[in-house]
Amino acid sequence: MSKAIIQIDANNFYASCEQMIDPSIKGKAIVVLSNNDGCIIARSSEARKMGIPMGQPYYKFKNKLKQLNIKVRSSNYELYGDMSNRLMELLKKHCEELEIYSIDEAFATIKRPKDKCLYHWGKDLRALVYQNIGIPISIGIGETKVLSKISNHIAKKIHKNSGIFDIGIIENKDHYLNQIKVDQIWGVGKRMSAWLKDRGITNAKELRDISSVQIRAQYGIVGIRIKNELKGNSCITIKEKPPARKEICVSRSFAYPIDSLEELNQAISQYVLIASSKLRKHNQLSSAITIFTTTNIYSKDFYKSEATKKLKIATSNSAIILKQSLSLTKKIFKPYKNLIKAGIILHKLQSNNYKQNILFNEGNRQKELHLERLDKIIDNINKRNKKNTLNWGSSIIKKDWTPRRDNLSYLSTTTLESIPTVFAN
Ligand SMILES: [Mg+2]
């Protein structure tokens, strides 16, 4: 029995999450904005049909959205992250191998039945996901990852297929591959696409049939892999374990410019606490910290600064990272500069399983254990209750420069207090 590769993609994911959590906007046109309510980053299919473009600044479309009665939501990454986890957990149960590719996309494998038809399996999975999570998905099936991606693309276009397409059971795929432009093929970047177009290769069929010598000379093994995958020979395997993170960056734009060290300290403290708890969540340690800030790039008084500190012993401890970060903040701060963004990067990450201590450091070990226990307690309390239930004093915000989220959905799936109350007589 042959194995099929499946590509699953949640449709208009952020917009679908918002519609799932708030039934009053189900089936209606909505858009989701980026951090600080800057740009339009997601549209429901209804908004897309009304001609609202992606990536455009919100202020330019504010009036038009109002006129067309299109609802607006600030991005709620906590909600999207939680919905993504639920989706992936469900998919894991119904597929053999699963590779989580992004917040709303996964690759999977499944054995083909005797009649080779996976349409009913796909239909059931789609119904199950919608029933349990309330989000529509598209399913692309093929012999390889590249073909399953193409299949998914087609699934979204052919409405009568109800979001499922299987290119793997089609003998002569030319008709479909002809319709896929080279820049729509997974793995073909801007440069490769321009190079191919210069040589008259414009679609997936032509790329599949390109001479191996020609593509290898320019793109080596990467090019050959894409060509082979298009031919149906699987070269890119499913990776069930995600590669370890190399760095963690937490940064935000402020709702309005800040110019005091006190405010910058508050912002950096907040980001440090988010970054260090992420580090612990992934069981990693960091041995280098970078703090950075910037004014508006177009301002006359443009200022940008960053500072890095290497640590002797890798850590994930909030108190240690906070102390170092605040001394770096002092270094990068310059008075009378209107800062619009700041952040922290934790780099030189390593696994916590192989922690290396410094010889003759026994005296500090006790203190370290205390700090580790404190982090654990804070993480658990914040996980069980609401984010920021317990936090460090330096991160308490006195003025509200935090990013603008004027249109945030008030409901979420991650805090007890936002669960709606139902009364029954
Ligand atoms: Mg998607």
Side-chain angles (χ1 to χ4, degrees):
M1 246 182 287
S2 62
K3 204 164 65 171
I5 294 193
I6 320 287
Q7 207 255 332
I8 297 146
D9 179 24
N11 302 351
N12 318 314
F13 185 57
Y14 294 173
S16 297
C17 288
E18 295 292 348
Q19 288 178 318
M20 182 280 303
I21 201 89
D22 181 358
S24 73
I25 53 170
K26 215 162 206 168
K28 295 200 174 138
I30 77 147
V31 296
V32 179
L33 307 176
S34 62
N35 273 335
N36 218 12
D37 288 354
C39 295
I40 297 169
I41 51 163
R43 303 156 297 166
S44 66
S45 54
E46 298 80 11
R48 198 182 289 209
K49 278 178 205 151
M50 288 162 107
I52 302 300
M54 263 302 246
Q56 290 299 313
Y58 171 49
Y59 73 89
K60 278 192 183 169
F61 282 82
K62 204 172 175 175
N63 288 336
K64 194 175 178 188
L65 294 170
K66 221 177 195 171
Q67 275 166 17
L68 294 169
N69 196 24
I70 297 177
K71 298 281 178 269
V72 177
R73 290 286 183 267
S74 303
S75 40
N76 185 346
Y77 292 110
E78 208 178 337
L79 171 68
Y80 313 148
D82 182 49
M83 294 313 294
S84 171
N85 286 340
R86 290 170 192 231
L87 171 66
M88 299 306 169
E89 283 305 315
L90 194 65
L91 295 179
K92 249 181 225 170
K93 284 184 197 152
H94 293 86
C95 302
E96 280 153 30
E97 300 162 286
L98 188 87
E99 174 183 337
I100 300 171
Y101 184 64
S102 71
I103 193 163
D104 70 332
E105 273 182 67
F107 286 103
T109 56
I110 191 109
K111 274 193 190 96
R112 277 195 189 276
K114 267 186 191 158
D115 67 354
K116 299 208 172 211
C117 180
L118 281 169
Y119 184 76
H120 295 291
W121 172 84
K123 218 176 147 196
D124 288 348
L125 182 66
R126 245 187 134 235
L128 192 76
V129 168
Y130 195 76
Q131 190 187 13
N132 282 270
I133 301 174
I135 282 180
I137 56 168
S138 298
I139 301 174
I141 309 170
E143 301 101 311
T144 68
K145 275 182 160 179
V146 169
L147 285 174
S148 67
K149 266 275 204 188
I150 287 176
S151 252
N152 204 317
H153 196 77
I154 300 167
K156 287 198 181 86
K157 294 257 151 83
I158 307 177
H159 294 293
K160 69 172 172 37
N161 273 33
S162 49
I164 304 160
F165 190 75
D166 185 356
I167 203 167
I169 49 169
I170 292 166
E171 270 300 310
N172 187 354
K173 300 177 177 41
D174 292 5
H175 167 73
Y176 294 101
L177 296 183
N178 256 328
Q179 295 172 38
I180 305 291
K181 296 195 180 98
V182 280
D183 48 16
Q184 293 173 316
I185 301 170
W186 187 57
V188 175
K190 259 189 188 165
R191 256 199 216 166
M192 195 194 278
S193 157
W195 182 83
L196 289 167
K197 279 178 193 166
D198 282 349
R199 276 144 196 88
I201 290 154
T202 59
N203 62 44
K205 181 191 162 281
E206 289 163 353
L207 179 55
R208 181 198 64 191
D209 299 337
I210 194 175
S211 112
S212 298
V213 179
Q214 195 183 5
I215 188 93
R216 183 182 282 129
Q218 185 68 18
Y219 286 102
I221 189 75
V222 176
I224 288 289
R225 254 189 221 151
I226 298 174
K227 175 184 158 69
N228 281 337
E229 285 254 325
L230 284 168
K231 276 166 75 180
N233 304 326
S234 177
C235 309
I236 310 171
T237 52
I238 300 276
K239 297 173 194 81
E240 288 193 275
K241 247 192 163 177
R245 282 166 183 259
K246 295 214 168 86
E247 60 176 45
I248 290 175
C249 174
V250 177
S251 69
R252 305 277 188 272
S253 299
F254 308 131
Y256 58 81
I258 62 168
D259 59 3
S260 76
L261 179 60
E262 192 194 359
E263 284 171 309
L264 187 60
N265 274 336
Q266 290 166 10
I268 293 294
S269 299
Q270 277 215 333
Y271 309 156
V272 165
L273 295 172
I274 298 170
S276 53
S277 91
K278 264 192 192 173
L279 202 56
R280 293 191 291 274
K281 195 175 155 195
H282 293 104
N283 197 29
Q284 285 183 307
L285 305 167
S286 162
S287 56
I289 306 166
T290 296
I291 299 293
F292 61 92
T293 189
T294 179
T295 63
N296 190 327
I297 194 165
Y298 301 109
S299 75
K300 271 189 211 157
D301 207 17
F302 176 62
Y303 173 74
K304 190 180 173 186
S305 185
E306 64 169 56
T308 299
K309 168 94 184 171
K310 284 186 184 152
L311 307 176
K312 278 187 191 149
I313 305 173
T315 185
S316 64
N317 179 253
S318 289
I320 297 171
I321 299 173
L322 199 55
K323 193 176 167 198
Q324 299 295 346
S325 302
L326 291 179
S327 89
L328 291 173
T329 309
K330 213 170 177 182
K331 276 189 193 166
I332 59 166
F333 177 75
K334 211 171 170 188
Y336 312 115
K337 296 287 179 191
N338 288 322
L339 304 170
I340 59 153
K341 191 178 179 176
I344 175 177
I345 305 169
L346 296 175
H347 25 170
K348 292 195 176 288
L349 303 191
Q350 62 184 70
S351 163
N352 195 12
N353 298 336
Y354 314 105
K355 187 173 180 177
Q356 219 169 49
N357 279 312
I358 286 187
L359 209 58
F360 313 121
N361 197 29
E362 210 36 58
N364 286 332
R365 186 67 195 137
Q366 207 56 27
K367 196 179 157 194
E368 218 177 287
L369 284 173
H370 278 306
L371 289 174
E372 266 176 33
R373 210 177 303 152
L374 181 63
D375 276 335
K376 220 175 238 174
I377 291 169
I378 296 178
D379 286 345
N380 279 339
I381 290 176
N382 287 340
K383 200 177 158 189
R384 234 183 299 141
N385 299 279
K386 204 178 139 198
K387 210 169 68 176
N388 292 334
T389 301
L390 210 58
N391 237 333
W392 295 77
S394 60
S395 69
I396 292 167
I397 299 157
K398 292 185 189 115
K399 275 193 213 162
D400 204 12
W401 43 260
T402 47
R404 212 171 285 134
R405 290 167 102 190
D406 296 338
N407 302 288
L408 193 66
S409 39
Y410 62 95
L411 290 166
S412 85
T413 52
T414 48
T415 53
L416 280 174
E417 61 186 27
S418 59
I419 291 179
T421 313
V422 178
F423 297 97
N425 286 320

